[in-house]
């Protein structure tokens, strides 16, 4: 098949091929016993909507993984299952971390970026001997933004750093941090 054939069309072709093969096998069996009756050659109902076609192709993809082990988790599940935490499942939030449900509010690439920016923020906190709590979050973020500005960071890095710190600080919200808003507007 050419590469210009769409996935739904491939699903139709595959289904028609398997149906034709089945009918030919039935015809071969029936020819020795008098031949197949005309009623056995009725046209099957083909998928008519895009969702039915997508469902067929999705079933085919699940049944035969190509080039990858079926047991190997991918994407967010791999990231979440690979993280090393002391808390058992269902205990992440109470131990000060983020629950799996909270982490699922952002995509895997964004979560990785947030973790990078949060590690940088934590390194700055430890270098400047500060403690990060909900009460001190706004002051810490504003001071960290000053440090980033002095390092010639671009606006995107300032924005992402702020978003990462707020994301990993339970109870923090940007709308409750007027100094952070003002600092980002001034950049």
């Amino acid at each position: 098949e050419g590469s210009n054939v769409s996935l739904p069309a491939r699903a139709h072709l595959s289904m028609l091929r398997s149906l034709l093969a089945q009918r030919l096998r039935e015809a071969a069996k029936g020819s020795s016993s008098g031949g197949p009756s005309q009623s056995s050659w009725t046209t099957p109902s083909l998928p008519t909507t895009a969702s039915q076609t997508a469902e067929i192709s999705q079933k085919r993809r699940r049944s035969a993984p190509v080039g990858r082990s079926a047991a190997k988790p991918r994407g967010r599940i791999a990231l979440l299952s690979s993280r090393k935490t002391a808390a058992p499942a269902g205990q992440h939030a109470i131990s000060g971390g983020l629950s799996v449900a909270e982490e699922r509010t952002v995509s895997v690439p964004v979560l990785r970026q947030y973790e990078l920016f949060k590690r940088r923020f934590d390194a700055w906190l430890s270098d400047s001997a500060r403690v990060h709590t909900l009460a001190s979050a706004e002051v810490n973020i504003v001071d960290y933004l000053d440090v980033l500005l002095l390092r010639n960071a671009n606006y995107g890095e300032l924005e992402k750093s702020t978003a990462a710190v707020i994301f990993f600080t339970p109870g923090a919200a940007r709308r409750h941090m007027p100094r952070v808003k003002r600092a980002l507007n001034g950049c």
Side-chain angles (χ1 to χ4, degrees):
E1 295 167 31
S3 62
N4 59 353
V5 177
S6 69
L7 188 59
R10 287 182 198 169
H12 282 289
L13 288 173
S14 176
M15 191 169 90
L16 287 173
R17 282 187 193 126
S18 63
L19 182 65
L20 180 61
Q22 179 185 0
R23 297 293 185 197
L24 289 173
R25 282 191 299 272
E26 289 174 1
K29 287 180 188 174
S31 65
S32 60
S33 64
S37 67
Q38 193 68 6
S39 63
S40 68
W41 283 88
T42 58
T43 307
S45 62
L46 294 175
T48 56
T49 64
S51 64
Q52 290 172 331
T53 305
E55 183 179 318
I56 290 170
S57 61
Q58 191 173 22
K59 285 179 183 176
R60 290 177 58 64
R61 272 187 260 133
R62 271 193 232 132
S63 65
V66 177
R68 192 180 288 245
S69 169
K72 183 178 178 183
R74 296 179 288 192
R76 181 183 309 282
I77 294 175
L79 181 66
L80 296 177
S81 65
S82 69
R83 83 176 172 182
K84 309 275 191 273
T85 58
Q91 299 291 316
H92 295 286
I94 200 162
S95 64
L98 291 174
S99 69
V100 175
E102 288 173 308
E103 285 186 357
R104 293 185 76 167
T105 60
V106 296
S107 67
V108 173
V110 171
L111 183 60
R112 287 186 179 140
Q113 269 192 337
Y114 278 5
E115 288 171 344
L116 172 73
F117 286 108
K118 179 66 163 85
R119 280 194 304 271
R120 290 178 184 171
F121 176 77
D122 289 339
W124 173 78
L125 279 178
S126 65
D127 287 346
S128 54
R130 292 180 180 228
V131 177
H132 184 66
T133 62
L134 181 58
S136 67
E138 184 176 24
V139 174
N140 286 339
I141 292 171
V142 170
D143 285 342
Y144 183 62
L145 291 177
D146 283 345
V147 170
L148 290 178
L149 276 174
L150 292 175
R151 292 181 186 165
N152 293 327
N154 62 19
Y155 182 77
E157 188 175 346
L158 299 173
E159 185 74 30
K160 288 176 187 174
S161 297
T162 302
V165 172
I166 291 173
F167 181 77
F168 286 110
T169 306
R174 191 170 168 179
R175 66 180 174 272
H176 300 301
M177 299 181 173
R179 292 186 68 189
V180 171
K181 282 180 166 179
R182 191 168 48 235
L184 286 172
N185 286 338
C187 297

